[in-house]
Amino acid sequence: MANSSIQILQPVLIRFSAIWRYKDFVRGMVWREFRGRYSHSLLGSVWAILNPMALVFIYTVVFSQVMKARIKGVDDTMAYGMFLCAGLLAWSYFSDLLGRCPDIFIDQANLLKKVNFPRSTLPVVLFFSTTINFAIVFTIFLIFLLLSGRFPGWSLLGMIPLLLIQQLFTLGVGMSLGVLNVFFRDIGHIVKIALQFWFWVTPIVYPIDILSDRLRSLIELNPLTLFITAYQQVILHNQWPNLSSFKYHLMGAVVALITGFLLFRRLSGDIVDEL
Amino acid sequence: MPQIIVKNLGKKYKRYANHWYRLAEVLSWGYYHCHEERWALRNINFTVGRGEAIGIVGQNGAGKSTLLKLLVGTTQPNEGSIQTTGRIAALLELGIGFHLDFTGRDNAVMACRMAGLNKDEIRHYMPEIERFSELGDYLDQPLRVYSTGMQMRLAFSAATVVRPEILIVDEALSVGDAYFQHKCVARIRSFQDEGTTLLFVSHDPAAVKTLCRRALLFDEGKLIQDGEPDNVLDYYNAIIAKRGKDETIQQIETQSGRTITRSGTGEASIVNVEMVNSSEQPARVYRVGEMAKIICQVRINNEIECPNVGILLRDRLGNDVFGTNSHHLNAETQQISAGHTFLAEFLMPLNLGVGNYSLSVALHPGWTHLENNYDWWDQCLVFQVIPGNSFDFIGIASLPVEVTLKKERADDRNPEQ
């Protein structure tokens, strides 16, 4: 029993050690990805801050002041904006990763064809680069909360394990999609369309409690629903999330990662031939 | 202990008629086989010892590049195995995965990272890359503004900054200018002296002969020759000549379609042109100074006087190198009636510089082809001149030359005094 589990783990460990040896390469790729986006602009990486600032400003100030949208049970004009940001920022963290996963190998075709390096570093690069984007936006949001006196408190730390589970699940699914998309390029398009529907079946712009019971039980089948509502509770009510209710999500994330990994291992030889 | 052991190596590519077939195969979990298999390489066996320099030759599609990719590890074999020991540096085609939006320096650093160097090592080696590539200010410019030659300089400098145990070079040298090519060759040579194993793919027999002591010839995915570069290249030439001959036959069959290169009034026509070496074998590669015979088969279609046959050799850029005709050579004309053929044979030593040349043949009534042409066949064949056994030289002509060095006496130096 112990022997067979070592056999299964061995390729995983080999790849982890390869990624660790290539940590400078991963760091370089993440940095390059970040800079590449702003390389032709005068302000450079200042845009990385201006963009999310505009976003936070629009959702909080404009939505609350102009549209005067309210959240039931919270006596604060800013509440809807905060609700929106809590869901939307986490959603864009998710959709950024999932949306880019299908192209993960295709985009690096030039590299994969010419240089032999551990290919398993590419998902890691993508994971970190989307995480940095999220960290920037979320930090700006937190600064805004702090300045406007609405900083939620320690329950923010409870978001970290949830975000991790959410993104590891996404990465697992995304790796499978990335591998398959090399052979069937339709997958990239399907994911883009699916994400649009997914957005609206997730309670991001609407609170889940305005839905009828029947609709609500449908929406709760969406694995993201529990995550997003937990973030909203943290931001609005400083309510520590109930971590034990995420055990199935954690299991799902592990299964997704293993599936993605196995698929990748099975087909990694064919990927280069197909690019 | 050999550095590279290749055993029974095979690589196949799957070909699907369209993507639906692939989907059907995946969905049926491999029950339906909807693809054609094409073996790019099969049953390849060879070993390479430490410090050997091996030239890999073969026509396009022979499997050379596939072999290199397998050796580097960017693609996996379907059969057999490859064992290599030591660090491999490879220049596959152009560049080493460069990104055009980043500066040369960024790309060089990234290339080093991909080669597994750490931060301190990269900091240590960067000045050397800077020095060797001689890119100057361009090193801090984005790669977009680089010429292909400059990219190659950067790629070579970065890939070879640390001496690898195995160096793999695929055609990369051919884009650099002569000066940098020499620099690269010098660096490769010094690596060889220190024990680096070299695998070198080239269509340039001259380069293979100068750098390598052993050559592998691939044809249609098989290793068909393994031995001294001279012998292997001779065999290679025979293959090219065979193909070349088939081509000329095809060209004649499709003569009507080739109106651009064939022109003339048609009273006489060139039926066939062949170029043979001193052993009367068709060949397309000659050593400098080797005897070649150009044989033109001419048919007389109308009652005309025997036409003059002219030949013209041009270099790769289309410059006239040498041309003459049977009139200038005082050939005795023959009486040939319509419907019959005759042969015009030009025998000459190819005292030409190393390079590619084309042969054009013309039939004309007067002294030159300028007034009137019966037939003009542009570039009816292409051949190559490679370094011979005589002295080295540069340029397009191999002039007979002698040199003597004499010691001057003191009173010769200043005759006025």
Side-chain angles (χ1 to χ4, degrees):
Chain A
M1 181 65 204
N3 225 341
S4 69
S5 69
I6 286 171
Q7 271 175 4
I8 294 168
L9 277 177
Q10 200 184 14
V12 180
L13 292 177
I14 288 173
R15 273 177 176 77
F16 269 114
S17 74
I19 293 170
W20 183 248
R21 267 193 297 119
Y22 273 72
K23 58 185 183 302
D24 280 345
F25 169 73
V26 170
R27 199 181 299 138
M29 285 296 278
V30 171
W31 178 230
R32 165 180 276 199
E33 210 280 324
F34 182 76
R35 259 189 334 159
R37 223 170 320 150
Y38 310 106
S39 65
H40 289 287
S41 57
L42 290 173
L43 294 180
S45 47
V46 174
W47 288 114
I49 299 172
L50 289 181
N51 250 328
M53 272 172 79
L55 192 118
V56 171
F57 173 78
I58 287 170
Y59 288 130
T60 53
V61 178
V62 175
F63 265 80
S64 54
Q65 300 303 316
V66 179
M67 289 180 59
K68 303 226 190 296
R70 291 295 173 96
I71 292 279
K72 205 169 59 181
V74 187
D75 187 25
D76 182 356
T77 49
M78 227 43 128
Y80 181 69
M82 287 159 62
F83 169 85
L84 200 55
C85 278
L88 202 63
L89 299 187
W91 164 265
S92 55
Y93 187 22
F94 159 79
S95 70
D96 192 18
L97 182 58
L98 193 67
R100 277 163 60 186
C101 271
D103 295 328
I104 185 169
F105 299 113
I106 295 171
D107 282 349
Q108 302 297 342
N110 186 29
L111 227 52
L112 290 169
K113 276 192 209 169
K114 287 185 178 157
V115 194
N116 185 18
F117 65 101
R119 285 159 213 166
S120 42
T121 50
L122 291 178
V124 180
V125 169
L126 196 54
F127 178 81
F128 281 115
S129 107
T130 51
T131 302
I132 287 175
N133 290 339
F134 172 75
I136 293 172
V137 188
F138 204 72
T139 308
I140 287 169
F141 178 52
L142 290 184
I143 290 171
F144 163 81
L145 291 179
L146 201 64
L147 293 180
S148 63
R150 293 177 174 84
F151 195 78
W154 291 111
S155 66
L156 272 174
L157 292 178
M159 279 180 73
I160 293 173
L162 298 193
L163 285 168
L164 208 61
I165 295 172
Q166 173 195 310
Q167 290 310 92
L168 288 179
F169 168 75
T170 313
L171 192 67
V173 175
M175 255 171 88
S176 301
L177 296 175
V179 171
L180 292 175
N181 194 39
V182 173
F183 304 98
F184 302 102
R185 305 279 166 114
D186 309 64
I187 286 175
H189 301 286
I190 295 172
V191 168
K192 284 195 182 69
I193 294 174
L195 276 174
Q196 297 198 33
F197 283 102
W198 203 335
F199 178 80
W200 292 105
V201 298
T202 310
I204 296 166
V205 293
Y206 53 86
I208 192 163
D209 44 22
I210 64 165
L211 299 176
S212 68
D213 283 350
R214 223 175 121 235
L215 209 52
R216 186 174 165 159
S217 56
L218 276 176
I219 295 290
E220 274 170 351
L221 291 177
N222 171 1
L224 268 189
T225 302
L226 203 56
F227 286 105
I228 298 288
T229 46
Y231 305 144
Q232 290 160 345
Q233 293 302 314
V234 169
I235 297 294
L236 282 179
H237 302 294
N238 190 17
Q239 187 183 82
W240 190 271
N242 177 13
L243 293 180
S244 63
S245 62
F246 286 90
K247 53 183 181 292
Y248 296 111
H249 295 77
L250 180 63
M251 274 156 62
V254 171
V255 169
L257 274 175
I258 290 174
T259 311
F261 179 76
L262 290 178
L263 201 63
F264 168 74
R265 201 164 71 113
R266 172 95 195 273
L267 293 170
S268 66
D270 292 340
I271 286 175
V272 179
D273 301 341
E274 199 56 38
L275 285 170
Chain B
M1 175 69 191
Q3 195 114 45
I4 301 172
I5 305 172
V6 172
K7 269 193 205 147
N8 195 32
L9 184 70
K11 174 73 190 175
K12 68 180 172 189
Y13 289 102
K14 293 177 185 173
R15 223 189 262 160
Y16 292 85
N18 64 47
H19 278 75
W20 294 107
Y21 283 104
R22 182 195 284 279
L23 186 64
E25 194 175 300
V26 171
L27 292 181
S28 69
W29 208 249
Y31 182 78
Y32 293 110
H33 277 276
C34 308
H35 62 264
E36 271 177 57
E37 287 179 356
R38 201 181 60 82
W39 288 90
L41 276 180
R42 201 159 195 193
N43 301 327
I44 308 295
N45 290 285
F46 64 91
T47 48
V48 180
R50 195 176 121 83
E52 265 195 283
I54 306 227
I56 296 173
V57 289
Q59 294 178 299
N60 289 333
K64 298 171 303 222
S65 296
T66 305
L67 176 71
L68 295 196
K69 280 185 199 156
L70 289 165
L71 285 169
V72 174
T74 54
T75 182
Q76 302 300 316
N78 297 98
E79 268 183 10
S81 66
I82 297 175
Q83 277 177 50
T84 57
T85 44
R87 203 175 79 82
I88 301 178
L91 287 155
L92 296 184
E93 294 144 34
L94 254 185
I96 39 180
F98 283 157
H99 196 300
L100 294 182
D101 276 342
F102 294 93
T103 65
R105 192 183 298 275
D106 275 338
N107 276 297
V109 168
M110 212 55 182
C112 290
R113 278 182 184 144
M114 273 187 282
L117 298 183
N118 68 32
K119 232 190 307 179
D120 297 331
E121 286 168 320
I122 293 170
R123 196 174 303 131
H124 174 72
Y125 288 121
M126 202 56 214
E128 169 58 20
I129 294 174
E130 211 168 329
R131 196 188 58 77
F132 193 84
S133 63
E134 292 183 42
L135 288 166
D137 295 344
Y138 272 100
L139 199 62
D140 291 305
Q141 296 284 315
L143 223 67
R144 271 178 289 121
V145 304
Y146 280 40
S147 67
T148 25
M150 287 161 73
Q151 285 194 34
M152 180 262 155
R153 268 152 70 171
L154 185 66
F156 188 88
S157 309
T160 62
V161 66
V162 184
R163 185 184 73 84
E165 293 300 314
I166 301 171
L167 178 62
I168 294 177
V169 181
D170 186 0
E171 283 289 333
L173 295 184
S174 54
V175 293
D177 57 18
Y179 165 73
F180 199 76
Q181 275 184 26
H182 278 265
K183 241 178 123 167
C184 294
V185 169
R187 178 171 264 192
I188 291 173
R189 283 246 166 85
S190 81
F191 282 171
Q192 279 178 282
D193 293 341
E194 291 174 65
T196 292
T197 305
L198 174 70
L199 289 178
F200 182 67
V201 166
S202 184
H203 288 291
D204 178 10
V208 172
K209 278 176 76 170
T210 45
L211 277 171
C212 307
R213 295 284 157 272
R214 178 178 161 198
L216 305 179
L217 173 59
F218 284 82
D219 192 41
E220 291 171 352
K222 290 183 288 291
L223 175 61
I224 56 170
Q225 282 265 313
D226 178 352
E228 296 261 312
D230 270 341
N231 301 336
V232 172
L233 287 169
D234 281 348
Y235 197 88
Y236 179 41
N237 296 339
I239 295 180
I240 302 177
K242 195 185 84 200
R243 298 270 158 86
K245 211 171 160 189
D246 292 345
E247 266 169 30
T248 51
I249 293 165
Q250 281 170 5
Q251 279 167 355
I252 282 161
E253 281 167 356
T254 60
Q255 226 179 63
S256 54
R258 287 170 55 89
T259 47
I260 303 156
T261 48
R262 291 301 288 271
S263 56
T265 49
E267 287 88 344
S269 55
I270 305 157
V271 181
N272 193 11
V273 178
E274 187 47 83
M275 194 165 175
V276 299
N277 59 21
S278 49
S279 45
E280 298 285 326
Q281 293 300 311
R284 293 294 178 268
V285 179
Y286 295 84
R287 301 214 171 83
V288 171
E290 197 179 337
M291 289 303 287
K293 195 194 279 178
I294 295 165
I295 306 169
C296 313
Q297 192 184 11
V298 178
R299 182 169 44 227
I300 306 296
N301 298 325
N302 298 352
E303 290 298 334
I304 48 165
E305 271 187 49
C306 183
N308 284 309
V309 184
I311 56 168
L312 175 61
L313 302 184
R314 289 200 187 107
D315 69 9
R316 174 173 72 83
L317 301 170
N319 299 315
D320 293 351
V321 173
F322 177 79
T324 189
N325 64 38
S326 56
H327 174 83
H328 295 318
L329 294 167
N330 301 318
E332 266 181 56
T333 53
Q334 308 280 328
Q335 273 311 321
I336 292 140
S337 47
H340 287 79
T341 60
F342 73 94
L343 294 178
E345 300 187 341
F346 296 83
L347 184 66
M348 58 180 172
L350 291 176
N351 288 322
L352 297 170
V354 170
N356 285 305
Y357 297 90
S358 71
L359 170 68
S360 303
V361 177
L363 301 177
H364 43 85
W367 293 359
T368 69
H369 61 266
L370 297 173
E371 322 161 8
N372 183 17
N373 270 316
Y374 296 139
D375 193 1
W376 169 275
W377 191 352
D378 217 13
Q379 297 190 12
C380 49
L381 60 83
V382 174
F383 63 96
Q384 190 178 17
V385 175
I386 61 174
N389 303 321
S390 69
F391 58 93
D392 286 340
F393 64 94
I394 58 161
I396 55 160
S398 172
L399 302 178
V401 59
E402 280 173 22
V403 61
T404 47
L405 306 175
K406 284 183 186 163
K407 196 171 183 183
E408 277 186 314
R409 279 176 309 182
D411 53 320
D412 281 351
R413 206 161 47 216
N414 295 310
E416 285 95 340
Q417 281 178 357

